Amino acid sequence: MNIHLNGKSIDLPGNVTTVSDLLDSYDIKKKISVVEHNKEIVPKGNYEQTTLADGDRIEIVHFVGGG
Amino acid sequence: MAERYSRQERFAPIGKEGQALLAEKHVLIVGAGALGCANAEMLARAGIGKITIIDRDYIEWSNLGRQQLYTEEDAASSRAKAKAAEARLKAINSNIEVKGIAEEFDPENAELLLKDIDILIDGTDNFDTRFIINDAASKYKVPWIYGGCVKSHGISLSILPGETPCLQCLIDQLPQDGETCETAGIIGPAVQVTAAYQTAECLRFLTGHPMSTHLVSFDVWGRGYSAIDVAKLKDPQCASCSDAAQFPYLKKERGMRTAVLCGRDTVQVRPGGKENVNLERLARRIEPFAGEAKVNEVLLRFQMEEKRFVVFRDGRTLIHGVDNVQEAKKLYHRYVEA
Ligand SMILES: [Zn+2]
């Protein structure tokens, strides 16, 4: 499956099928990120139910604390 | 002197009118680390009328890689960041007012510091302070611009109290396990891209242009950029910005307080009230036992039991080489308070 992640085209491995899997595969902490799936923000509680499809556009912004 | 801002005035969205507005504004920068330095220098050069910058830390050699207002001399003398920043900003632009405050931004001084401030810039390196800023900004209705950076990443969000979601709306709990610049590293360009965005938003706001409702992130190494419009995430039940806000991070604690400074093998100890420690006298007292006791304009540093102590005039003390609070308290009682 191929998706657009933060504007870049990405080929996903077969075991990545949901937003939750995607965050895990990039080692991103779910509590402190905002995810947009085809222009709609995904509520934090819905990451596991939200399945990905070919051509989906995903934006992930992850809070960082340094400075 | 009219020449000084001519290029910025030539930029149509600002113009001579915008430049005149900037001269009347007061910006508070919390934190004079990498982001604080970068924002402060741009804002001073841009001609902001008054800049106040507050920071609790002093300059170390590891700061020089990206904290652009400081020099080797500052690191060698453990100068307070707020004082060194003030001096450098005044040297950059003597036509503006600059004030450096060598203190921690906390629930006790937040109200006073936010008085007559047009906008606050986040130059901190931790979420504990950001959530205090978030509550205070919401309570006193001061816009602020969050910025964070680590590794090659930067992130920013502009927050307009009463209009846009606050940090608490987006993050429902204090992130404890995040990466810091000390543990994960950072490169200068990640600082600069973040600060550049924050300063641009700040100039927009101060010259009457709306700020963005997007949460933006940059990756200067991986060449990534992302932006999500978070306007819809404003939480009507938010503990920090709703009508029923409790401002949980503004609650004042009593008694001695400690904080483990993440990734630095350092504990900060603060006495219950702000004291006025006579650093010269303390230096004389510990001199016979301690290694290299040195006093500068705001702090005393010395070495004891293989730990490094830094004592500020208000009693706040950083103890390097300890990672547990109990041991730090014991050392504080033994050497600083005695
Ligand atoms: Zn809120």
Side-chain angles (χ1 to χ4, degrees), chain B residues 134 164-170 234-235 238-242:
Chain B
N134 189 58
T164 70
C166 78
L167 202 58
Q168 178 80 31
C169 293
L170 303 190
K234 190 163 172 63
D235 176 3
C238 179
S240 297
C241 75
S242 68

Side-chain angles (χ1 to χ4, degrees), chain B residues 101-147:
Chain B
I101 303 174
E103 278 179 38
E104 190 166 41
F105 181 86
D106 60 26
E108 281 79 20
N109 60 19
E111 181 174 3
L112 195 63
L113 285 165
L114 262 55
K115 231 183 154 109
D116 306 320
I117 294 294
D118 292 289
I119 191 166
L120 184 157
I121 301 276
D122 170 18
T124 68
D125 61 358
N126 63 89
F127 279 110
D128 294 280
T129 312
R130 287 194 184 97
F131 276 86
I132 298 172
I133 293 173
N134 189 58
D135 272 6
S138 173
K139 186 170 179 185
Y140 304 114
K141 309 248 177 302
V142 175
W144 72 286
I145 304 172
Y146 157 66

Side-chain angles (χ1 to χ4, degrees), chain A residues 8 41 44 59 64-67, chain B residues 34-35 125 130 146 149 170 222 226:
Chain A
K8 284 185 197 159
I41 293 174
K44 287 193 202 325
E59 298 287 325
V64 296
Chain B
L35 285 178
D125 61 358
R130 287 194 184 97
Y146 157 66
C149 49
L170 303 190
S226 183

Side-chain angles (χ1 to χ4, degrees), chain A residues 5-8 29 31-36 39-44 58-67, chain B residues 34-35 124-127 130 146 148-150 155 170-171 173 175 177 181 215 217 222-223 225-229:
Chain A
L5 177 59
N6 292 359
K8 284 185 197 159
K29 308 235 165 27
K31 275 181 279 185
I32 49 169
S33 48
V34 176
V35 179
E36 199 179 63
K39 292 277 163 201
E40 290 290 333
I41 293 174
V42 184
K44 287 193 202 325
I58 304 280
E59 298 287 325
I60 299 175
V61 176
H62 180 233
F63 286 91
V64 296
Chain B
L35 285 178
T124 68
D125 61 358
N126 63 89
F127 279 110
R130 287 194 184 97
Y146 157 66
C149 49
V150 72
I155 177 168
L170 303 190
I171 312 176
Q173 52 188 306
D177 46 359
C181 301
L215 177 67
S217 79
R223 307 183 186 103
Y225 168 75
S226 183
I228 298 178
D229 189 347

Side-chain angles (χ1 to χ4, degrees), chain B residues 22-210:
Chain B
L22 294 181
E24 295 165 8
K25 305 296 183 183
H26 186 181
V27 176
L28 172 66
I29 302 173
V30 180
L35 285 178
C37 282
N39 275 290
E41 178 160 349
M42 280 187 278
L43 291 171
R45 290 185 191 278
I48 304 298
K50 186 172 177 190
I51 296 172
T52 301
I53 185 160
I54 178 168
D55 190 280
R56 65 181 178 187
D57 210 352
Y58 63 92
I59 299 155
E60 297 179 276
W61 289 92
S62 65
N63 300 147
L64 298 184
R66 64 202 185 285
Q67 302 186 16
Q68 68 194 67
L69 298 176
Y70 312 133
T71 64
E72 293 186 353
E73 206 181 313
D74 295 326
S77 62
S78 301
R79 205 165 176 204
K81 288 184 181 178
K83 294 295 170 192
E86 178 187 300
R88 176 68 184 147
L89 294 171
K90 282 178 169 166
I92 286 171
N93 191 344
S94 60
N95 290 331
I96 62 168
E97 219 180 304
V98 182
K99 188 177 174 195
I101 303 174
E103 278 179 38
E104 190 166 41
F105 181 86
D106 60 26
E108 281 79 20
N109 60 19
E111 181 174 3
L112 195 63
L113 285 165
L114 262 55
K115 231 183 154 109
D116 306 320
I117 294 294
D118 292 289
I119 191 166
L120 184 157
I121 301 276
D122 170 18
T124 68
D125 61 358
N126 63 89
F127 279 110
D128 294 280
T129 312
R130 287 194 184 97
F131 276 86
I132 298 172
I133 293 173
N134 189 58
D135 272 6
S138 173
K139 186 170 179 185
Y140 304 114
K141 309 248 177 302
V142 175
W144 72 286
I145 304 172
Y146 157 66
C149 49
V150 72
K151 298 196 279 195
S152 61
H153 301 280
I155 177 168
S156 183
L157 177 71
S158 306
I159 296 169
L160 192 58
E163 305 269 335
T164 70
C166 78
L167 202 58
Q168 178 80 31
C169 293
L170 303 190
I171 312 176
D172 40 20
Q173 52 188 306
L174 260 181
Q176 296 297 2
D177 46 359
E179 291 169 317
T180 70
C181 301
E182 286 74 23
T183 57
I186 182 156
I187 52 172
V191 173
Q192 298 296 331
V193 72
T194 310
Y197 182 86
Q198 286 178 290
T199 295
E201 285 285 286
C202 180
L203 294 176
R204 282 187 65 102
F205 177 77
L206 295 178
T207 55
H209 301 277

Side-chain angles (χ1 to χ4, degrees), chain B residues 283-301:
Chain B
R284 280 196 299 276
R285 200 181 73 221
I286 52 131
E287 194 97 74
F289 323 104
E292 306 171 56
K294 284 203 179 78
V295 181
N296 71 18
E297 54 199 334
V298 298
L299 59 85
L300 159 69
R301 63 203 157 108

